[in-house]
Amino acid sequence: MARARAFHGTIVHCPTVGETKILEDTLVVVSASGQISHVEHDVPRADVEKTLSRLNLPEQPSAITLLDRTDFLIPGFVDTHNHAPQWGQRGLGGGLHILDWLDEITFPNEAKFRDAEHARKIYSACVDGFIRQGVTTCSYYASLHGEATTILADVCHSKGQRALIGKCNMDRNAPDYYRDKDAAESLQVTRNVIDHVRALDASSGGGALVKPILTPRFAVSCDDELLAGLGSLAQENPDLPIQTHFNEAQQEIDATLRLFPDFTNEADLYDHFGLLTDRSILAHCTIMTDYEIDKLRQKDSGVAHCPVSNTTVGGGFMAAPIGRFLEKGIKVGLGTDSGGGFSSSILDAMRQAVIVSNARQAINGEPALSIWQCFSLATLGGARVCSLADKIGNFEVGKDFDALVVRGGVDGVMTMVQEDDSLPMIFEKFLISGDDRNIEEVYVKGRQLKGKST
């Protein structure tokens, strides 16, 4: 049963992108409906009960979590790009070029999701795995199968993870055993999935956490008719976000432009079909011209930065120019894209984002990222990319309480905490060397998904 609760201690969040604040002695009150109702700063621990009484809450919290000095309350992580069917193939195919990796590793694996029981088993493990690692929101690519995609939506809904769920559209340049029959079938199955996911919302009184998203895999796997049909769906449904792969690798870019000779870049291609909008989540964006960067800014499209997979699979060291994107005001979030990388952890994505930005700085002088900037990308930045910044991403009053309780003093996990460590030092140690064992509790819209209930 939903109930009001409160947290007291140190919170870390980003009021704006790129601005990280560490606030001690903060009281956060969460309503029974899962929203942040009050945030009070500079509240001594001895005054918590008195402060709660003074607030005249409609319902006094039934549980109060008091955080120790080495603990933190942070917003939940947002994974802006993930392939749920690839949960079982993580780590395979390192060194392959992207199209070879799809043919040899990924398509055979994703084809197995024609079996509903296989889909249920893998998707249950996948969602549990991400919740355990503090991913409270995830933008998922499913397989091309309608039934399996609705199963993924059902799993996220039942387990309480906030998610965008998309049936993968692909009617060409894939093996016969794994592609849509034609554009008409692909579009009809997409409509069916949208209706199913929206029904989950209706059954929750309009408050469901799971939403549909249009998901053309990439232009290489979609013909003109399918891209045009998806663009029409996007225009007819202004609430639908869109996700696709964009300028991921040179091999992929070359293949795209051979298939669409009327275009000289992917930005104009997707724009032509109505798929480059302020709701678009563009995964990778590693090889970008100045023209394309400016066009993304004009369209207010978002970038899903996947530094782990970009340096593991695809053909080369594909480090996206994130510093330039941020200078231009482009929305950027982090993605694990874990089928193509070695980790499903957003913490690892933060660390790798720092590393690849250092490489770009050494090569061409582009701005490097700090771990603090990457924390911003993993929380508020990801919320903006997923068009959810009005609901999640930080601890503003009125937003849903999607949050993690981080324990810094876990022996043998992150860098040891020493007596003279400041709060920024302890938190930085977590960002650089912590893992899911430090994430003791996970909440989505006030519902506890991980940790002992209190």
Side-chain angles (χ1 to χ4, degrees):
M1 230 179 130
R3 57 183 183 166
R5 62 185 308 148
F7 298 79
H8 179 270
T10 301
I11 71 169
V12 185
H13 76 149
C14 301
T16 61
V17 172
E19 175 194 16
T20 300
K21 287 196 172 182
I22 299 177
L23 302 165
E24 295 182 69
D25 289 328
T26 298
L27 178 65
V28 178
V29 183
V30 182
S31 70
S33 58
Q35 281 81 40
I36 300 167
S37 64
H38 296 78
V39 177
E40 299 282 325
H41 301 296
D42 300 317
V43 178
R45 177 156 300 189
D47 293 345
V48 168
E49 296 279 3
K50 182 170 64 177
T51 303
L52 289 171
S53 297
R54 176 177 57 78
L55 292 175
N56 291 319
L57 302 170
E59 178 187 359
Q60 282 295 312
S62 59
I64 302 174
T65 299
L66 301 175
L67 303 177
D68 293 336
R69 187 184 83 87
T70 59
D71 301 339
F72 302 90
L73 185 71
I74 67 173
F77 295 143
V78 180
D79 189 337
T80 61
H81 180 68
N82 191 273
H83 293 268
Q86 296 175 18
W87 179 256
Q89 72 172 71
R90 289 169 296 153
L92 299 179
L96 291 174
H97 282 262
I98 187 64
L99 300 184
D100 302 316
W101 176 78
L102 289 171
D103 287 336
E104 296 179 30
I105 305 292
T106 301
F107 290 158
N109 172 69
E110 291 191 12
K112 297 175 184 177
F113 285 77
R114 69 174 72 90
D115 179 344
E117 287 309 309
H118 177 78
R120 193 167 286 108
K121 176 182 176 182
I122 299 298
Y123 287 156
S124 182
C126 172
V127 175
D128 283 343
F130 282 112
I131 290 172
R132 184 173 62 250
Q133 295 178 96
V135 174
T136 53
T137 298
C138 195
S139 188
Y140 286 118
Y141 287 57
S143 65
L144 64 77
H145 310 98
E147 182 181 13
T149 304
T150 60
I151 288 170
L152 176 58
D154 292 345
V155 168
C156 291
H157 183 258
S158 65
K159 291 182 180 293
Q161 187 185 42
R162 193 182 300 273
L164 305 177
I165 307 287
K167 171 251 184 297
C168 226
N169 299 107
M170 41 189 293
D171 67 344
R172 67 169 172 177
N173 289 321
D176 291 341
Y177 65 81
Y178 188 59
R179 69 175 176 222
D180 294 315
K181 177 183 175 183
D182 52 31
E185 179 196 61
S186 188
L187 291 168
Q188 185 55 55
V189 175
T190 297
R191 294 187 190 96
N192 295 343
V193 168
I194 292 170
D195 290 344
H196 178 91
V197 178
R198 284 177 171 167
L200 295 176
D201 186 36
S203 70
S204 303
L209 301 170
V210 183
K211 305 291 184 184
I213 182 169
L214 296 175
T215 308
R217 188 175 203 120
F218 57 170
V220 172
S221 66
C222 300
D223 63 17
D224 293 58
E225 182 183 353
L226 180 51
L227 290 175
L230 291 169
S232 295
L233 275 176
Q235 187 173 21
E236 294 162 12
N237 297 272
D239 62 317
L240 282 179
I242 304 157
Q243 62 183 350
T244 193
H245 297 79
F246 188 96
N247 284 20
E248 181 174 3
Q250 194 61 54
Q251 185 191 44
E252 170 265 320
I253 295 170
D254 293 343
T256 300
L257 298 183
R258 282 196 301 270
L259 290 167
F260 296 91
D262 292 339
F263 298 93
T264 60
N265 63 80
E266 291 191 15
D268 287 343
L269 165 64
Y270 285 105
D271 189 29
H272 171 79
F273 287 106
L275 298 170
L276 194 69
T277 74
D278 61 354
R279 294 168 283 136
S280 298
I281 304 173
L282 306 176
H284 305 302
C285 301
T286 64
I287 303 170
M288 301 286 291
T289 64
D290 290 340
Y291 173 83
E292 289 175 301
I293 291 174
D294 288 339
K295 185 138 191 172
L296 262 59
R297 178 66 191 94
Q298 292 165 14
K299 293 290 181 176
D300 198 25
S301 299
V303 172
H305 181 37
C306 306
V308 173
S309 64
N310 288 157
T311 52
T312 308
V313 168
F317 189 82
M318 301 179 300
I322 300 303
R324 292 183 63 198
F325 293 157
L326 294 176
E327 283 186 336
K328 290 280 188 176
I330 293 172
K331 297 178 294 191
V332 179
L334 292 179
T336 60
D337 192 19
S338 56
F342 56 80
S343 175
S344 58
S345 166
I346 284 287
L347 285 167
D348 280 344
M350 287 188 227
R351 297 155 191 164
Q352 191 76 350
V354 172
I355 292 169
V356 299
S357 74
N358 288 339
R360 288 196 70 100
Q361 184 181 59
I363 293 168
N364 53 29
E366 290 181 8
L369 303 177
S370 70
I371 193 65
W372 301 97
Q373 286 177 292
C374 293
F375 172 70
S376 174
L377 301 184
T379 53
L380 183 59
R384 294 178 71 231
V385 168
C386 292
S387 302
L388 291 170
D390 61 327
K391 293 184 178 297
I392 60 169
N394 57 23
F395 292 129
E396 287 183 4
V397 171
K399 288 190 176 184
D400 288 352
F401 185 71
D402 288 17
L404 315 178
V405 172
V406 174
R407 302 292 184 189
V410 182
D411 291 339
V413 181
M414 58 181 254
T415 308
M416 65 182 295
V417 176
Q418 301 180 81
E419 289 184 8
D420 58 348
D421 283 350
S422 65
L423 288 176
M425 289 170 65
I426 298 170
F427 191 65
E428 186 173 7
K429 285 181 176 182
F430 164 68
L431 293 180
I432 293 294
S433 62
D435 64 24
D436 59 282
R437 290 170 291 180
N438 294 102
I439 300 171
E440 188 165 281
E441 298 173 17
V442 175
Y443 297 86
V444 174
K445 201 175 182 181
R447 175 183 173 187
Q448 187 171 356
L449 306 186
K450 177 183 178 181
K452 289 183 179 180
S453 297
T454 55

